[in-house]
Amino acid sequence: MAHHEIPLSKPDITDLEESLVLEVLRSGRLSIGPMQERFESLVAQRCGTTHAIACSSGTAGLHMVLIALGIGPGDEVITTPFSFIASSNAILYVGAKPVFVDICPTSLNANPELIEKAITPHTKAILAVEAFGNPKYFDEYAKIAAKHEIPLIEDSCEALGTIYKGHKAGSFGRAGVFGFYPNKQITTGEGGMVVTNDDHLADACRSLRNQGRAVAGRGSIQTGSAGGSWLHHERLGFNYRMSEINAALGVAQMQRLDELITARNDTANQYVERLLDVPDLILPTIDPECSVMSWFVFVVRLAAGYTREERDRVIAGLRMHDIGAGDYFPCIHLQPIYQRAMGFGEGNFPIAESVSQRTLALPFFAGMTTRDVEMVGQTLELMISRENLSRRG
Ligand SMILES: *Cc1c(COP(=O)(O)O)cnc(C)c1O
């Protein structure tokens, strides 16, 4: 990755993170220990769920949830093509079929009406994603899932801390999954977390992450001793555990979550103020019923009619000025692996495609200065006006 003077994202690490990591290193216990339990209870508390199961990544969390729900070959899972590829890859891992539906052009989340239309006797779950942290429609997704008696899986990897219509992100469906890669609201370096109120699903995930070992009793540290020895395996599991070092980072970051969300909100507000009057630029729309918006990234969009090439030149122009920018998100169904394996092509999901070729992520992290925002605003404005001029010939 190129390093820019104003990067696309930057983790926010303080003395607190350092001291907790050091505490772990000095404790001699580097995996399956008290720090993981602390991290899990902080996340469960925050989401209002009875269980939180730490794991090695958000992707691993999604994989475990799908297995725990018994989803496999022949099953269909309805999901969005406008997301990070992991949300859909998890469906492929278990041999099921991702059934994409197009998105709503304002929230960028899957269109609930299309979800309902896509339900067949083979549909075993809805896997929905809060695009860039936007919680729009999650109450509706939950209603559709309940009506059809299928689980809603919430890929809440981009929405830790968001509250919508009184519900916390992660708690809308049967299970929610968070990811803690360094560009997320909080980071553990690498890591993930499953949250759920379902005891059986929670125990299945605790076993799956730990090589299929028996779970030693709810809430206790897994030693594997419940079902016999450490080398007793009840199901086909994985090593999807989180180390105590990563968990220590998570504990510190969770203790600072409100501070981080506030700082990110402040940056988002500065962007909105700075960019509101920039011609041909569409800003993110957040439903007023979202009482806490936890911003993942700040993604803007060029007006309808702009081409992918023009958008790509704007991104290149920002990078040339030492400003990080990204093409969030290319459509999943147009990724080479999906085109090849599932026969998708251009035109399958026209709204997602039209949005995707015009969106760009701007630098976004806690602690961005007013000067940073001004620099990005000025440069972006300049790049867009250049595209405009060259169009007029
Ligand atoms: C970040 C993210 C994930 C999980 O990513 P990991 O790198 O595996 O932790 C999954 N889905 C979405 C939508 C994400 O943004």
Side-chain angles (χ1 to χ4, degrees):
M1 281 277 281
H3 284 275
H4 293 284
E5 190 186 317
I6 308 180
L8 187 54
S9 73
K10 190 163 77 175
D12 185 306
I13 302 296
T14 64
D15 290 350
L16 183 62
E17 284 80 358
E18 289 185 12
S19 70
L20 286 182
V21 168
L22 196 58
E23 190 183 314
V24 167
L25 294 177
R26 288 177 176 161
S27 76
R29 180 146 206 172
L30 301 190
S31 189
I32 314 181
M35 218 42 109
Q36 168 172 284
E37 291 207 332
R38 276 174 73 184
F39 184 30
E40 288 177 339
S41 50
L42 283 168
V43 175
Q45 240 169 44
R46 184 73 188 205
C47 297
T49 57
T50 46
H51 303 280
I53 303 97
C55 55
S56 55
S57 71
T59 308
L62 289 167
H63 187 193
M64 293 196 300
V65 167
L66 285 159
I67 295 172
L69 289 170
I71 295 166
D75 296 338
E76 295 175 357
V77 178
I78 300 173
T79 192
T80 172
F82 190 72
S83 170
F84 180 58
I85 197 164
S87 57
S88 173
N89 276 356
I91 300 167
L92 292 182
Y93 294 162
V94 297
K97 180 181 168 194
V99 174
F100 295 115
V101 297
D102 214 341
I103 60 171
C104 138
T106 325
S107 64
L108 312 185
N109 287 342
N111 181 334
E113 283 173 27
L114 298 178
I115 290 182
E116 189 131 34
K117 280 192 195 138
I119 291 177
T120 74
H122 299 292
T123 307
K124 288 293 150 60
I126 299 167
L127 195 161
V129 182
E130 281 108 344
F132 312 134
N134 192 332
K136 180 84 176 170
Y137 298 134
F138 267 77
D139 54 330
E140 293 189 41
Y141 300 156
K143 272 188 211 141
I144 295 168
K147 182 175 152 196
H148 294 271
E149 299 184 26
I150 50 174
L152 169 65
I153 302 165
E154 190 180 348
D155 178 345
S156 40
C157 283
E158 304 186 355
L160 179 67
T162 287
I163 302 177
Y164 180 56
K165 297 189 177 178
H167 286 275
K168 293 161 178 142
S171 74
F172 281 94
R174 183 77 63 83
V177 178
F178 295 103
F180 308 120
Y181 188 72
N183 67 343
K184 311 276 182 186
Q185 287 89 333
I186 71 162
T187 185
T188 58
E190 296 284 358
M193 188 81 74
V194 175
V195 292
T196 183
N197 290 321
D198 181 325
D199 297 345
H200 292 287
L201 192 144
D203 279 349
C205 289
R206 288 190 183 104
S207 174
L208 285 167
R209 76 171 165 189
N210 193 20
Q211 304 281 20
R213 292 184 172 98
V215 174
R218 200 149 295 129
S220 70
I221 295 171
Q222 284 179 35
T223 58
S225 56
S229 78
W230 176 246
L231 298 179
H232 178 82
H233 307 276
E234 301 198 317
R235 64 180 93 210
L236 181 62
F238 305 89
N239 179 357
Y240 280 171
R241 295 183 302 263
M242 172 181 280
S243 87
E244 285 287 282
I245 303 162
N246 299 88
L249 274 168
V251 168
Q253 293 261 286
M254 277 307 289
Q255 288 175 359
R256 296 181 53 233
L257 180 60
D258 286 319
E259 171 199 332
L260 293 169
I261 290 175
T262 303
R264 292 168 88 92
N265 258 291
D266 183 53
T267 302
N269 291 337
Q270 286 191 49
Y271 264 134
V272 170
E273 203 171 303
R274 176 62 184 81
L275 301 175
L276 203 55
D277 299 322
V278 174
D280 292 346
L281 193 67
I282 300 168
L283 300 184
T285 308
I286 304 302
D287 193 315
E289 289 197 70
C290 178
S291 56
V292 177
M293 173 63 192
S294 178
W295 291 89
F296 166 49
V297 283
F298 197 82
V299 172
V300 297
R301 180 174 11 147
L302 302 180
Y306 277 81
T307 63
R308 178 189 305 278
E309 291 67 31
E310 289 169 321
R311 188 276 313 266
D312 289 347
R313 274 200 299 271
V314 171
I315 291 178
L318 285 164
R319 289 180 177 165
M320 207 112 71
H321 284 77
D322 228 3
I323 293 169
D327 59 336
Y328 287 18
F329 284 118
C331 287
I332 296 177
H333 69 282
L334 296 180
Q335 296 286 352
I337 162 70
Y338 281 79
Q339 294 208 39
R340 209 165 54 231
M342 297 188 67
F344 288 117
E346 301 259 357
N348 289 157
F349 304 101
I351 298 175
E353 289 168 27
S354 155
V355 163
S356 161
Q357 66 175 16
R358 290 179 287 119
T359 44
L360 60 146
L362 300 178
F364 191 71
F365 46 89
M368 261 187 92
T369 63
T370 312
R371 189 182 151 274
D372 290 339
V373 171
E374 179 52 35
M375 280 272 286
V376 176
Q378 259 183 33
T379 315
L380 180 61
E381 208 167 359
L382 178 70
M383 293 305 141
I384 296 174
S385 68
R386 266 193 201 165
E387 290 307 319
N388 252 321
L389 282 176
S390 69
R391 277 177 158 197
R392 294 197 191 109

